[in-house]
Amino acid sequence: MCHPGESMVQPFRHFISFEGIDYCGKTTQIQRLVERLKEHGVEVEVVREPGGTIISEKIREILLDRSHEEMHDRTEILLYAAARSQLVHQKILPLLQKGVSVIADRYYDSTTAYQGYGRGLNIDFVKQLNQFATSGLSPFKTIFLDISPEEAERRRLRKGQTQDRLESGGVAFYRRIREGFFQIAREEPERFVIVPAEQDIDAIADQIWDLVRQWWQL
Ligand code: TMP
């Protein structure tokens, strides 16, 4: 029997996650990294959150639907946790156990930053829920791509995209989330690495590649 907060699994070196506020460039940078990893013969899978399994993708639709304005903050966090739990147990853990490297496009730090610091839910509870949903599976390292909320808004407007339910929270919401990520970095400096992400895309990709090469001894 696993109690909330109790870890059931050991950290896997070949499990890393990417974090950041919306429009930080995670998806582009993950693609670049995967290309380089494949060139080096690394077998790697990318999972995105919320999503990555049939059940988790259905939960994603509920979470991001703009018409669900009435969603309560507690409902929201439980849905993120449910989507992650399914992804971890159905997909991430079996892949890691087979020796496949896994890169997560968001993981539990997003819940701490968005639902904890952004929405104002109790941080200790959020961390316990994160541990419970994942059976204690932590990323070996996390790359936090840092941009300002103002830059995120400029990027969104440039792309001409409408806001999803989360994004309609505004700049103040994103400031709290960014501060939340900085707080995680202060608490876990060994795991949580800040990469400034307003610079040139190639320069960021090179910096990430240097880090991953070091961590995975490539
Ligand atoms: P994405 O745009 O990176 O696909 O993420 C979807 C949205 O969900 C994004 O606005 C961040 C938000 N989110 C949370 O609020 N909590 C979480 O735990 C996760 C994984 C994402």
Side-chain angles (χ1 to χ4, degrees):
M1 174 70 192
C2 176
H3 299 284
E6 190 178 50
S7 174
M8 268 176 28
V9 288
Q10 298 301 310
F12 287 84
R13 175 176 280 269
H14 287 87
F15 177 35
I16 62 175
S17 61
F18 277 70
E19 296 286 358
I21 65 171
D22 297 81
Y23 301 99
C24 67
K26 278 180 294 100
T27 310
T28 309
Q29 289 301 333
I30 290 172
Q31 271 170 8
R32 295 284 188 100
L33 174 60
V34 166
E35 281 164 21
R36 281 171 150 165
L37 286 169
K38 290 198 167 153
E39 278 163 23
H40 278 71
V42 177
E43 196 186 347
V44 60
E45 283 260 354
V46 177
V47 292
R48 77 156 178 185
E49 279 227 26
T53 68
I54 290 171
I55 292 171
S56 312
E57 289 290 337
K58 285 188 178 169
I59 298 173
R60 179 186 178 92
E61 280 171 32
I62 299 172
L63 278 164
L64 300 187
D65 190 329
R66 264 194 80 89
S67 71
H68 292 169
E69 267 173 22
E70 74 273 32
M71 189 181 292
H72 194 276
D73 292 351
R74 293 187 184 209
T75 309
E76 180 181 274
I77 193 171
L78 291 170
L79 287 173
Y80 277 112
R84 179 165 312 119
S85 176
Q86 192 61 32
L87 179 66
V88 165
H89 297 99
Q90 186 182 336
K91 205 160 172 187
I92 299 179
L93 270 174
L95 284 168
L96 291 169
Q97 280 156 354
K98 273 197 305 192
V100 178
S101 301
V102 177
I103 297 176
D105 186 339
R106 296 195 182 281
Y107 195 56
Y108 62 42
D109 298 303
S110 279
T111 305
T112 309
Y114 280 75
Q115 280 65 52
Y117 291 96
R119 299 279 193 229
L121 294 176
N122 180 280
I123 300 295
D124 289 335
F125 170 74
V126 173
K127 289 183 178 173
Q128 275 208 354
L129 182 64
N130 287 342
Q131 292 297 306
F132 179 73
T134 60
S135 294
L137 177 69
S138 293
F140 175 65
K141 299 281 181 184
T142 298
I143 292 174
F144 166 50
L145 295 177
D146 181 43
I147 61 168
S148 67
E150 292 76 14
E151 173 64 12
E153 185 59 11
R154 281 193 290 276
R155 291 182 184 187
R156 185 179 72 77
L157 292 173
R158 258 202 315 270
K159 287 186 181 168
Q161 288 195 355
T162 51
Q163 297 167 317
D164 63 30
R165 196 182 57 79
L166 268 283
E167 287 167 4
S168 54
V171 168
F173 178 55
Y174 281 98
R175 283 210 187 96
R176 293 197 296 278
I177 295 166
R178 187 188 194 198
E179 277 311 311
F181 281 127
F182 284 141
Q183 180 59 27
I184 298 169
R186 281 190 289 274
E187 288 171 10
E188 295 182 72
E190 272 302 302
R191 173 176 72 86
F192 204 83
V193 180
I194 302 173
V195 173
E198 288 185 27
Q199 30 163 348
D200 173 64
I201 290 181
D202 293 329
I204 302 168
D206 287 345
Q207 205 176 328
I208 292 170
W209 180 234
D210 286 344
L211 287 167
V212 175
R213 283 185 91 157
Q214 231 178 301
W215 296 334
W216 290 357
Q217 285 145 21
L218 296 169

